[in-house]
Amino acid sequence: MILFKLLALPITAPVAGVRYCIEKVVEYAEHEINDELEEGRVTEDEYVEREAVILARLREIRERRKQLAREEAEASAPADGEKRTVVIEVPEELE
C-alpha cells in the first residue's frame, strides 16, 4: 500500500494541490456570501465610515494609476529633436 502511494505521488500530489485550491475558493465565496455588509447588518454610521475608507482608497488607486501612466508616457516620449515612429498593423481581412 505504501509503495502504491509512493508510485502514485506524481499524480496524486498535483490533484491534492488543486483540490486544496478549490476548497479555499469555495471557503472564500461562502464567506463573501455571508458578509454582514451585504445582508444589511451594518449600522448607518458603520456604513458611512467604511464607505469613506473605501472611497479614499479608490482615490489613491486612481491617482497612482494616473502617475504611473504619466511616468510611462514620459519614459517613452522622444528626446528633443528625435522623431517618433508609429506602426499601424492592419488585419489581413482589411487588406
Side-chain angles (χ1 to χ4, degrees), residues 17-80:
V18 169
R19 180 182 301 142
Y20 174 80
C21 291
I22 291 172
E23 288 172 358
K24 287 298 174 183
V25 168
V26 169
E27 180 181 314
Y28 182 76
E30 288 174 351
H31 176 269
E32 287 297 311
I33 288 174
N34 298 325
D35 187 15
E36 292 180 359
L37 187 62
E38 295 294 325
E39 293 181 6
R41 295 183 186 171
V42 178
T43 65
E44 186 67 29
D45 293 335
E46 287 176 321
Y47 178 81
V48 169
E49 183 179 318
R50 289 183 186 185
E51 180 185 37
V53 170
I54 290 170
L55 291 176
R57 181 68 181 126
L58 281 173
R59 278 191 295 275
E60 290 173 7
I61 291 170
R62 287 184 184 132
E63 286 301 316
R64 179 69 181 141
R65 284 184 180 166
K66 286 179 187 178
Q67 180 64 30
L68 289 173
R70 273 190 235 114
E71 290 172 2
E72 188 176 310
E74 289 173 1
S76 67
D80 290 340

